[in-house]
Each structure stands twice: as C-alpha cells, then as structure tokens.
C-alpha cells in the first residue's frame, strides 16, 4: 500500500423504515487519502472544522503539528505548522472569537487566525503542570477555565481548576489535594443544572471513580462512587444513556471482570453496575449512530494483537442489540491502551462528510493512516415512528418509563398526558421517577422534524395503589376460656394476610382460626394465648405490617403460679401484696361496674384504700406474662 494513500473503510448502514432496530449493518471497503508519519501512541489526529466551512479537517502530530484541510472533494491539503508543545487534547474556541483553537497537554494553545493559520500562545499559569486534562466554562462567565492535575510525585496528584479572566490570566483554585488522578479527567454537567461538574478516575494501580459536583461558587462537593462489580476501571464516561436528563456512568477497562457496565444516575446517587456486554473493552464512545434519538455504543475491544471496532444499538429502555463487529485494526501498542488520557485522540464518532449522520474515525499508528468508517444510514424523508410506546402497570412510588424510536431529519419530541403537553418532556423517553395515582392516564409522543409530524400510539399508565391499613387491630382483655377476635381493615391490591403471635406465624387449628384472613379468632383462651398479635398484609405492590395488639387473659387465682398473696381480705384502710416470684409490673383496682379506680406501678406493700367507698373490688396484679385477679372486700 502506498504511503500517500488513505484508506476509507465504508461502513454502509442500510436500514428499511420500520426495521432499523433489527437489521444488521453492512460494510464495504474503499481507498482514499490521508497517510501521515506523525501518528504515535501519545499523539494522534483529531477531526474538527478549522475554518468553519462545513467540512471536517484534521490536526495532530507528535513532534511537529500538522493540519490536513479538507478541500471538499475527498482530498486533504497538508499544512505543517511546526513544533507542538504536547499532544492535542481537543479543539474549542478558547479566546471567544468564534473560531476553534487547538488545545494541548502543556501550557500552550494554538490560536486560530481567521481560519487560515495558527499562532502558538503560552497560557499564563504559574508553576510546572504535568498536563492539562480538560477545558470548559465552569463558572459560566464566558471565559474558558482549565482542569489540570499537578503531580507532587509520580503517584500523587492535586486537582486544580484555573479560572480564566478573559485576558489569558487565571485564578488558581484547588479542587482536591488527595486525588491521585493519573488517568481520565473530564468536565461534564452531571445533574443537568447548567454547571460543569468533574469526573475523574482516581488512583494509579488500583482505581475508582470520583465525581465533583459544582456548587456554583467555585467550590465542589466530592462524591466517591463505590463499584461493586468493576472496582478498577480503566475508561469511563458520563453519558445520558437512558434519556432522563442526567448523566449516567459508563465504565470499562482491562482488569477484573471484562465488559462494559452502566451505572444509573438516580438523583445524584449511582446504583450497582448493570452489564451491557462482556467484551474485552478498551475505549468506547456513546453517540446516536442510527438516528433514533438515543445514544448507541461504539467501542474498541482487544483480541490478542488485533483490535476490533464494534457497536451496539440502544433500543430504548436500556435494552441493547447484540454486539456487531464492523472492522479490525492492527498496530496499536498494548501498553498505550492502558492510558485513557490519549484514547479520545485516536477514536472519534463525528460527521466527517457532512451528510447529517455520524461516522467513525480511527488513528492507526502502525500503518500511519487515519481510518474512516463511513456511516451510510439512509435518513427517511418523512418523520416516522419505528417503535411505539408500551402501556405500563406500575405500583405507587415505582418508576415508569415510556420510550419510542423514530427516524427522520432534525427530530424533536413532545410527550403528552391525556392530550396535554408535559412541560420538559422533550426527549424520546419520558420517565416518572415515583408514580402516584394522579399520574395514571394515557400517554403519547408527538415527533416533529423536517419530514413533518408523527404522533405515536397511546400508551396507558395504570397505577396500582400501595396497601394502606385503615383500621388497626385493637388490644383485648378477656377472661380465661373466653373467645378473642382481632380484625384489620385495609385498602389496595391485597393478595394475602398472615397473623403472627410474638413474631411467630400462626396457622389454623387448635384454638386459632382465620390466620390467613382479615379476622383472627382465638377460642377457649388460656394464659398461653396471651401476647402480642400483628398481621402482615401482602400484595402486588408490597407488604405492610399492622401495629401490635395485646391479648390479656384474666386468670383465676388457682391457675396462677404460687408466690402472690393479697392481705388482709376483708380490708379496712389498706392492703398489701406479698410476692415471692418475679417482679410485679403493675396493680389495678376495678369496681363492680368495671371502672378502674386505682393504679400503681411500684410500692405494692402498702396500697391505701381509704379513699374508696366500702364495697366489693377486683384487684388485678400483672407479673411478667401472668395476670391475677382477686376479689377483695373493703369494709
């Protein structure tokens, strides 16, 4: 192969409207130009529109900075720009002149001069900084800020932000002095509040993910992510993969359990990882390559000395197609693939040929070639809904997510409930994080684009109420040998009842009946049936347990254990309790009408009766689980 040729690997995405999600992609190969001797493991070429002419150019290099300007005919004009102060990190408008500048890994940037030439300018930051990690307007003042790591030693870092003042001077702010961020660092709005937050891979040999949320006042809150499955990530990104408006975590690497994992952002917390695939992941991108409005996955995986480029389509609702390999690249250095700082230079998913669909661009160091996987997806002229939203049955407080897929140009979405627009529901998914009965209704999505408007089918949300107890079981006091009935009343979708005594499940038989119904009946009660009774009510939307109700069985004197004596009887001004058993809990005295007239919880050796009228009384003594009731005459 000639060194002045450039290989174009044409990736032909052929879909028929209505079957985009099920048909595999097809590929063809064709040769074109860009071959350059400057590709290396730490310095590659990245695509961007340097002169704002709508055509994608390339800039990069190791020792010498080189630019390839697209002339619009599939060829590129080469410009050698001289010494490079480091490897290219990204391009963006650093100096607010509406032209993209080139940003490096050192204290330097190349200013875009009228889309025609570049001028190297030193960035005015004091002290020695190992590398710049990312650029962005963190405090929303219109000036670019810089995220860097400042190594104290090879394995110790400090994380800084230099806030730009608009005149190439900066204010230094320390984000964290303990982060050992030898690898990936990125500015990204994690929570959708319009402020750039920070994501880093922390550590050198053993790594974890740390997020810093932006407080809006140049301070940050540190959030450490605990990875239960994949605890040593080599590459991660923050992407709204489930279209709910906040950034989720995608992570992969070379260590431990291989594969690509997803961690959902749930109001600022992240759930355990969900495995998307088991490939030996190296680097990945998340972009919409099939034009259905959600983020798909494109990634490199390693197999010996070969590196496969593959994809998975996002079918909505976090359902992905099987892995499809579309090409193989050789010549990458295996060690360099452990360094995520440089992967974003080699691997890009962008619209190279300005045909409104995103292509895949790779740097191939061994062949010194830029390899292009051209996306040939056919965009339908008419706005078309491919996959309709599905009806949902959900319990109160559960989440409910509607999703559609659509095809067309420049699509926008608006969800409706009962034919009324839902404010802010403008993606191809709509999620209610905790449904209530008021959310029940009919949902649909109106999709608009250059090819007109299409309205989805109606999907019904049915909300099942949680179980609620309206009447709790009540405590009961009965005589020995009598019947006790506990009952409960509840609303909701109920499938089962289970009564318990002192925490132990009951079953029908003997003295118990109705142990799995709303009413428990106890016959011929003895002291062994006294205790605490509860009922667990189960249903499709969960369980609930009632409050405890106590059964007290009034026991005759002859049925009690010995050790309690009430004297004198008849009594005049007082009585006293002689107790030789366990501690007495309380004493109560009732008149013949059943009205409690006296109660004591201590000092049982002298119980004053002088305030009571003469007559017959019943003295109730509670000792542990025993209850004794004795008739006493007050003269």
């Amino acid at each position: 192969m000639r060194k002045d040729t450039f290989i174009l690997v044409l990736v032909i995405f052929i879909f028929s409207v209505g079957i985009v999600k099920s048909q595999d992609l097809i590929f063809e190969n064709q040769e074109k130009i860009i071959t350059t001797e400057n590709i290396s493991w730490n310095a590659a070429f990245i695509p961007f529109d340097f002169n704002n002419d709508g055509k994608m150019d390339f800039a990069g290099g190791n020792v010498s900075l080189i630019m390839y300007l697209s002339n619009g005919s599939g060829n590129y004009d080469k410009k050698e720009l001289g010494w490079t102060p480091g490897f290219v990190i990204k391009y963006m408008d650093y100096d607010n002149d509406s032209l993209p500048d080139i940003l490096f890994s050192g204290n330097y940037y190349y200013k875009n001069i009228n889309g025609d030439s570049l001028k190297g300018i030193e960035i005015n930051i004091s002290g020695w900084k190992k590398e710049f990690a990312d650029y962005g307007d963190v405090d929303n003042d219109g000036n670019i800020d810089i995220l860097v790591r400042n190594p104290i030693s090879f394995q110790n870092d400090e994380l800084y932000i230099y806030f730009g003042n608009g005149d190439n001077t900066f204010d230094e702010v320390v984000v964290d002095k303990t982060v050992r961020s030898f690898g990936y660092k990125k500015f990204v709005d994690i929570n959708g509040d319009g402020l750039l937050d920070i994501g880093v891979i922390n550590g050198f040999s053993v790594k974890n993910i740390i997020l810093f949320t932006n407080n809006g006042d140049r301070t940050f809150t540190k959030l450490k992510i605990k990875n239960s499955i994949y605890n040593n990530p080599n590459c991660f990104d923050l992407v709204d993969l489930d279209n709910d408006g906040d950034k989720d975590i995608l992570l992969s690497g070379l260590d431990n359990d291989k594969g690509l994992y997803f961690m959902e952002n749930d109001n600022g917390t992240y759930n355990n990882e969900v495995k998307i695939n088991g490939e030996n992941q190296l680097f990945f991108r998340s972009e919409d390559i099939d034009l259905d409005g959600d983020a798909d996955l494109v990634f490199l995986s390693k197999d010996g000395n070969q590196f496969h480029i593959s994809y998975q389509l996002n079918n909505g609702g976090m359902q992905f197609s099987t892995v499809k390999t579309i090409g193989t690249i050789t010549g990458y250095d295996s060690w360099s693939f452990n360094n995520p700082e440089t992967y974003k230079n080699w691997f890009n998913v962008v619209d190279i040929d300005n045909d409104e669909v995103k292509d895949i661009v790779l740097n191939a160091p061994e062949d010194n070639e830029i390899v292009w996987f051209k996306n040939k997806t056919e965009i339908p002229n008419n706005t078309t809904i491919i996959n309709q939203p599905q009806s949902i049955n959900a319990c109160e407080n559960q989440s409910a997510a509607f999703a559609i897929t659509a095809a067309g140009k420049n699509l926008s979405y608006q969800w409706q409930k009962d034919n009324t627009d839902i404010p802010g529901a403008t993606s191809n998914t709509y999620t209610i994080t905790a449904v209530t009965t008021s959310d029940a209704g009919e949902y649909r999505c109106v999709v608009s684009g250059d090819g007109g408007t299409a309205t989805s089918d109606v999907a019904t949300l049915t909300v099942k109420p949680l179980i609620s107890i309206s009447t709790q079981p009540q405590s009961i006091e009965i005589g020995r040998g009598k019947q006790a009935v506990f009952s409960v009343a509840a609303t909701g979708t109920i499938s089962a009842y289970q009564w318990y005594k002192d925490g132990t499940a009951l079953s029908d038989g003997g003295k118990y009946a109705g142990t799995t119904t709303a009413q428990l009946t106890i016959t011929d009660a003895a002291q062994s049936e006294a205790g605490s009774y509860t009922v667990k009510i189960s249903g499709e939307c969960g369980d609930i347990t009632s409050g405890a109700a106590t059964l007290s069985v009034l026991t005759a004197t002859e049925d009690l254990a010995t050790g309690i004596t009430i004297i004198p009887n008849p009594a005049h001004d007082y009585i006293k309790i002689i107790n030789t058993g366990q501690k007495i809990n309380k004493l109560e005295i009732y008149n013949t009408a059943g009205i409690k007239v006296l109660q004591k919880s201590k000092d049982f050796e002298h119980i004053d009766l002088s305030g009571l009228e003469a007559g017959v009384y019943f003295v109730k003594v509670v000792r542990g689980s025993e209850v004794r009731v004795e008739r006493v005459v007050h003269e």
Side-chain angles (χ1 to χ4, degrees):
M1 183 185 305
R2 291 168 47 194
K3 287 294 183 181
D4 59 350
T5 61
F6 168 65
I7 296 178
L8 289 185
V9 183
L10 298 183
V11 184
I12 302 179
F13 296 76
I14 301 178
F15 296 112
S16 299
V17 173
I19 58 172
V20 171
K21 288 297 181 183
S22 60
Q23 187 163 325
D24 293 343
L25 308 183
I26 302 173
F27 311 97
E28 285 183 356
N29 293 348
Q30 178 177 316
E31 292 187 4
K32 277 237 181 216
I33 61 165
I34 294 181
T35 297
T36 178
E37 66 279 6
N38 285 270
I39 299 176
S40 70
W41 73 267
N42 67 344
F45 286 80
I46 58 175
F48 71 110
D49 185 3
F50 173 70
N51 47 17
N52 287 341
D53 63 354
K55 304 178 184 67
M56 200 63 68
D57 311 303
F58 290 87
N62 187 5
V63 177
S64 177
L65 179 62
I66 295 176
M67 181 173 292
Y68 290 93
L69 291 172
S70 173
N71 58 25
S73 61
N75 297 315
Y76 293 83
D77 298 325
K78 179 179 179 181
K79 280 191 174 186
E80 295 205 34
L81 301 170
W83 171 78
T84 173
F87 58 83
V88 175
I89 288 183
K90 68 192 303 183
Y91 65 89
M92 67 187 307
D93 183 10
Y94 176 78
D95 51 8
N96 289 323
D97 63 356
S98 301
L99 290 170
D101 307 300
I102 301 177
L103 308 176
F104 292 88
S105 59
N107 293 24
Y108 238 80
Y109 83 100
Y110 267 72
K111 176 178 174 58
N112 188 338
I113 308 298
N114 299 322
D116 179 66
S117 61
L118 289 168
K119 178 182 178 181
I121 297 177
E122 185 174 4
I123 295 175
N124 186 18
I125 293 180
S126 62
W128 177 64
K129 309 300 168 190
K130 173 69 175 178
E131 65 191 31
F132 290 163
D134 207 357
Y135 299 76
D137 186 3
V138 181
D139 51 2
N140 288 340
D141 65 351
N143 300 316
I144 295 299
D145 310 307
I146 306 173
L147 175 69
V148 308
R149 73 177 182 95
N150 179 25
I152 299 171
S153 67
F154 183 64
Q155 295 186 14
N156 288 284
D157 292 338
E158 295 179 347
L159 201 61
Y160 287 75
I161 291 180
Y162 285 85
F163 287 93
N165 297 316
D167 56 359
N168 204 30
T169 65
F170 297 84
D171 298 329
E172 178 184 280
V173 173
V174 179
V175 177
D176 193 286
K177 286 194 173 185
T178 62
V179 170
R180 297 174 58 192
S181 180
F182 187 72
Y184 180 95
K185 295 171 284 293
K186 183 176 183 178
F187 280 137
V188 62
D189 183 4
I190 296 171
N191 48 21
D193 63 356
L195 296 171
L196 289 178
D197 308 300
I198 302 171
V200 302
I201 290 180
N202 173 55
F204 180 68
S205 58
V206 177
K207 309 166 189 173
N208 59 9
I209 295 171
I210 295 181
L211 306 181
F212 296 89
T213 55
N214 190 340
N215 298 323
D217 58 357
R218 295 191 174 186
T219 66
F220 295 82
T221 299
K222 185 176 182 179
L223 175 63
K224 183 176 180 180
I225 307 301
K226 295 181 179 178
N227 310 120
S228 60
I229 299 174
Y230 204 103
N231 59 9
N232 197 9
N234 191 63
C235 179
F236 92 108
D237 206 353
L238 291 151
V239 180
D240 185 9
L241 202 59
D242 53 4
N243 271 329
D244 63 355
D246 53 25
K247 295 296 190 296
D248 312 298
I249 292 177
L250 281 170
L251 66 158
S252 69
L254 297 174
D255 303 324
N256 301 320
D257 189 9
K258 310 303 185 193
L260 185 64
Y261 289 87
F262 165 80
M263 298 178 68
E264 182 183 5
N265 185 344
D266 183 11
N267 294 321
T269 61
Y270 289 84
N271 299 326
N272 289 335
E273 300 92 331
V274 175
K275 196 169 189 176
I276 295 176
N277 65 54
E279 298 293 306
N280 186 0
Q281 300 294 334
L282 295 169
F283 309 133
F284 56 82
R285 295 285 192 183
S286 181
E287 300 282 353
D288 184 9
I289 60 173
D290 61 355
L291 304 174
D292 66 352
D294 53 23
D296 308 301
L297 302 172
V298 181
F299 50 87
L300 284 174
S301 58
K302 183 176 181 294
D303 180 13
N305 292 325
Q306 291 187 329
F307 299 89
H308 304 298
I309 183 164
S310 307
Y311 70 88
Q312 281 183 281
L313 299 181
N314 187 344
N315 295 336
M318 287 306 301
Q319 300 296 315
F320 288 87
S321 69
T322 57
V323 175
K324 302 295 181 181
T325 299
I326 63 177
T328 300
I329 305 296
T330 59
Y332 284 110
D333 181 271
S334 294
W335 183 89
S336 65
F337 264 85
N338 286 307
N339 185 356
E341 286 289 347
T342 58
Y343 93 93
K344 47 186 175 285
N345 295 348
W346 302 331
F347 179 30
N348 290 276
V349 181
V350 293
D351 183 8
I352 292 293
D353 51 357
N354 201 30
D355 63 354
E356 301 183 13
V357 292
K358 292 183 178 180
D359 312 296
I360 302 167
V361 181
L362 288 169
N363 286 249
E366 184 175 81
D367 296 325
N368 286 323
E369 293 170 341
I370 301 174
V371 181
W372 177 24
F373 292 77
K374 178 174 172 57
N375 186 339
K376 294 290 290 183
T377 303
E378 295 182 359
I379 305 175
N381 292 325
N382 297 325
T383 301
T384 306
I385 294 176
I386 299 168
N387 294 328
Q388 299 286 349
Q390 302 299 305
S391 293
I392 299 172
N393 290 326
C395 296
E396 278 188 286
N397 295 333
Q398 288 182 341
S399 64
F402 295 101
I404 67 167
T405 56
K409 294 183 179 180
N410 299 319
L411 298 182
S412 62
Y413 302 86
Q414 177 60 64
W415 286 90
Q416 297 179 339
K417 176 181 182 288
D418 299 330
N419 299 324
T420 301
D421 288 353
I422 303 172
T426 55
S427 73
N428 70 327
T429 64
Y430 175 59
T431 301
I432 307 170
T433 55
V435 301
T436 65
T437 53
S438 63
D439 293 314
E442 295 184 339
Y443 290 80
R444 67 181 186 180
C445 188
V446 179
V447 185
S448 302
D450 293 351
T453 299
T455 302
S456 74
D457 295 343
V458 168
T460 301
L461 173 59
T462 301
V463 179
K464 300 176 181 179
L466 299 176
I467 298 174
S468 176
I469 296 177
S470 54
T471 303
Q472 296 280 355
Q474 301 298 306
S475 295
I476 301 172
E477 187 178 85
I478 60 173
R480 183 177 62 86
K482 302 298 183 180
Q483 175 177 283
V485 178
F486 292 109
S487 62
V488 67
T491 59
T493 308
I494 298 171
S495 59
Y497 296 87
Q498 177 61 59
W499 286 91
Y500 294 80
K501 176 183 179 291
D502 298 329
T504 301
L506 299 173
S507 57
D508 286 355
K511 298 182 179 182
Y512 294 105
T515 56
T516 57
T517 69
Q519 182 172 291
L520 173 68
T521 301
I522 307 169
T523 57
D524 191 19
Q527 190 62 39
S528 59
E529 280 69 61
S532 176
Y533 288 79
T534 58
V535 58
K536 183 172 78 172
I537 308 172
S538 303
E540 185 176 350
C541 295
D543 304 333
I544 188 172
T545 299
S546 73
T550 300
L551 174 61
S552 299
V553 179
L554 304 181
T555 308
T557 303
E558 60 270 18
D559 295 323
L560 281 173
T562 60
I564 293 179
T565 304
I566 302 175
I567 60 173
N569 191 8
H572 291 282
D573 295 328
Y574 74 96
I575 60 174
K576 76 175 186 175
I577 309 298
I578 300 174
N579 176 38
T580 60
Q582 61 180 309
K583 181 181 178 181
I584 295 174
N585 301 109
K586 66 179 178 179
L587 176 144
E588 297 172 343
I589 298 179
Y590 294 82
N591 61 22
T592 54
I595 298 173
K596 185 191 302 183
V597 294
L598 189 148
Q599 176 174 313
K600 290 179 69 69
S601 58
K602 62 180 180 178
D603 190 16
F604 303 110
E605 292 187 356
H606 188 279
I607 301 161
D608 188 3
L609 303 182
S610 60
L612 301 180
E613 295 180 358
V616 176
Y617 292 88
F618 295 94
V619 178
K620 174 182 173 183
V621 180
V622 179
R623 188 180 69 174
S625 62
E626 297 178 329
V627 178
R628 174 177 179 175
V629 178
E630 184 168 338
R631 181 176 178 274
V632 173
V633 177
H634 179 216
E635 295 178 339

